[in-house]
Amino acid sequence: MPEERSRTIRILHVTTSLAAFSGIEETIRILIHGLDRGRFRIGLASIVDPPGAAVEELKATGVEIHVIHRRGSVIDVVTTSKLIGILGRFGADIVHTHRNKGNFHGRIAAQALGIPIVTTHHDMGDLEFSRSPFSGRRLHSLHSNEPPDFVQRWIFPFLNVKLDRMNHRVIAVSDHVRRIHAASLADTRVETIHAPFDESLFPKSWHGLRHPEIVIGTAGSLGFLKGHIHLIRAMRILRDAGRDIRWRIAGDGPLRAELEAAVEKEGIADRVTFLGFQAHDARLYEGLDLYVQPSLAEGCSITLLEAMASGIPVIASDIDGPTELIEHGVSGLLVPPAHPESLASAIASLADDRGKAAAIGQAGHERSLSRFSSRVFLEKMSRVYEECAALPSRAGIDYAPL
């Protein structure tokens, strides 16, 4: 056993829960499949009971999974103590945390044992407590129509930022997310490593626009911040202009019934198909002419990268993460968020210009592979893990000022 530990770096990922279709789970899956198995061993701990499909999918990779079966509230010391036991039994050399409850309990448990901590911040959800100015933009205004949840909206985001001081490394999935967690570029513990996509699963498959019918697509959770309602209104504008545009929506979520009602109200039900949950593979993008992502906030969209890799011309909101993935007018189009008229105009402009659409699709394909592939991601994460494994234990020490 001592010989194996000297050869293998054991990394336990701690997350709130697991989802069958989520960027976080896709990132972990890429790490499990892509890291050198002779050098790294991955384990996974989920605080809340995850869906069976998500567990079975990850178990098939051979990863060791621990489910704690707790709610994981801030005052839940049982969750933390159970995690301490799991870390000891797994023999973790590094703890890598994700999501609110995973970040909180995982970091406290690792700190108690003196284990180096890596945390990945996957989105803009901690913006209210940003350590860098964001020109007055605040996320709470984007949640105005969602039920209030004080702990999820305020307490956990506050802790996500403040507990970064425990970390040996903090990973941000975009430069915009990095600005939330680093007071300045001088903080070398905080590093941007864009979320990856698996290029082996998403080969180039786009073969040009079809006429007269154009099919657009989106994929992901049906939640408020994904901005589907604005694309629904854009679809009505396109219909009123006499354009034959169809929309396929892959994914499910809390707003599905509300979005289906909005589609009926706008009179475009014959043009919009809700596909529900779909397998996360190349079939998501088959038959699409354009991929459109109308998000109101975004860290680093894996589905946007997958569409780009597939060669599909993409349109996204001119916000946060998408501005780092797309060069406007070159590898995609960026439009103001929450602006149906701009969405409709961008869709129409590509539908009317086959050459422009093809050039954007090709440039997006090349950019996704050269900058954001799993190969690039795995090289960077291997370096982070090697550096953390070489650090001395520093339990009980604050590594950065509040």
Side-chain angles (χ1 to χ4, degrees):
M1 186 68 173
E3 183 179 343
E4 180 187 356
R5 287 294 305 280
S6 66
R7 180 178 58 84
T8 304
I9 299 172
R10 301 165 73 92
I11 306 152
L12 187 74
H13 288 261
V14 181
T15 185
T16 302
S17 185
L18 300 169
F21 187 98
S22 166
I24 297 175
E25 281 68 37
E26 177 64 6
T27 297
I28 294 172
R29 188 192 67 79
I30 287 173
L31 286 168
I32 291 169
H33 284 289
L35 287 174
D36 178 357
R37 295 195 178 190
R39 182 59 177 151
F40 302 101
R41 179 177 174 184
I42 301 291
L44 183 59
S46 174
I47 293 172
V48 181
D49 292 353
V55 172
E56 292 306 314
E57 181 180 350
L58 288 169
K59 275 186 177 178
T61 67
V63 69
E64 184 176 324
I65 299 177
H66 304 266
V67 180
I68 298 175
H69 305 289
R70 299 286 298 182
R71 292 183 62 187
S73 66
V74 173
I75 59 173
D76 184 2
V77 295
V78 175
T79 293
T80 305
S81 64
K82 283 180 175 287
L83 264 177
I84 289 173
I86 291 169
L87 289 172
R89 291 191 297 275
F90 182 73
D93 300 300
I94 297 169
V95 175
H96 191 155
T97 73
H98 311 266
R99 292 196 175 104
N100 289 343
K101 296 175 182 180
N103 291 340
F104 178 70
H105 293 285
R107 289 197 273 197
I108 291 176
Q111 176 85 337
L113 295 177
I115 300 171
I117 304 166
V118 178
T119 293
T120 296
H121 294 295
H122 294 268
D123 54 41
M124 301 291 291
D126 305 327
L127 182 60
E128 297 296 336
F129 302 99
S130 173
R131 301 189 70 201
S132 302
F134 264 84
S135 303
R137 184 169 182 263
R138 283 293 177 246
L139 200 63
H140 68 79
S141 63
L142 300 178
H143 290 277
S144 57
N145 76 335
E146 292 188 334
D149 186 332
F150 181 79
V151 173
Q152 293 295 327
R153 187 87 54 83
W154 299 101
I155 299 301
F156 276 120
F158 170 80
L159 292 170
N160 279 340
V161 174
K162 291 305 181 185
L163 294 187
D164 282 343
R165 69 184 192 176
M166 293 182 174
N167 284 62
H168 293 72
R169 292 288 186 276
V170 175
I171 305 301
V173 299
S174 70
D175 288 335
H176 283 77
V177 174
R178 186 186 187 282
R179 286 175 58 193
I180 296 174
H181 296 274
S184 71
L185 292 175
D187 189 350
T188 57
R189 293 178 311 114
V190 186
E191 178 179 356
T192 299
I193 300 180
H194 291 91
F197 74 98
D198 189 340
E199 61 273 23
S200 69
L201 297 179
F202 300 95
K204 187 177 181 184
S205 58
W206 190 81
H207 300 294
L209 296 175
R210 292 166 297 179
H211 286 290
E213 179 183 281
I214 298 293
V215 178
I216 67 173
T218 57
S221 173
L222 304 187
F224 178 70
L225 291 180
K226 294 302 182 182
H228 293 90
I229 189 64
H230 305 292
L231 187 47
I232 288 173
R233 293 166 183 159
M235 286 289 293
R236 190 251 307 152
I237 293 171
L238 291 164
R239 180 210 60 193
D240 291 348
R243 293 184 175 274
D244 191 4
I245 309 289
R246 310 287 161 163
W247 180 17
R248 289 173 16 195
I249 305 174
D252 216 331
L255 292 190
R256 177 165 179 169
E258 182 178 322
L259 294 172
E260 288 175 332
V263 164
E264 291 284 349
K265 181 180 178 181
E266 297 288 354
I268 57 172
D270 61 328
R271 296 165 179 256
V272 180
T273 303
F274 288 85
L275 300 173
F277 173 77
Q278 299 290 301
H280 190 191
D281 56 32
R283 289 172 292 179
L284 278 174
Y285 308 100
E286 285 180 357
L288 297 184
D289 294 290
L290 306 173
Y291 185 84
V292 184
Q293 186 132 313
S295 300
L296 304 180
E298 196 77 63
C300 181
S301 170
I302 290 177
T303 55
L304 191 60
L305 289 171
E306 291 167 351
M308 291 167 69
S310 302
I312 303 170
V314 298
I315 300 168
S317 298
D318 189 7
I319 54 162
D320 312 329
T323 63
E324 298 174 33
L325 307 184
I326 294 171
E327 298 171 288
H328 176 62
V330 178
S331 52
L333 297 183
L334 296 168
V335 300
H339 202 276
E341 293 80 7
S342 295
L343 276 170
S345 177
I347 293 168
S349 72
L350 291 183
D352 289 342
D353 193 333
R354 184 183 297 268
K356 180 180 180 181
I360 283 177
Q362 178 61 29
H365 170 74
E366 294 173 358
R367 182 173 173 83
S368 67
L369 291 178
S370 65
R371 300 279 299 274
F372 309 109
S373 68
S374 65
R375 176 189 58 79
V376 174
F377 171 76
L378 289 165
E379 288 174 356
K380 293 179 178 180
M381 287 308 306
S382 294
R383 170 183 50 78
V384 168
Y385 290 149
E386 293 281 4
E387 291 173 354
C388 286
L391 291 171
S393 169
R394 294 192 281 181
I397 299 174
D398 288 341
Y399 309 125
L402 282 169

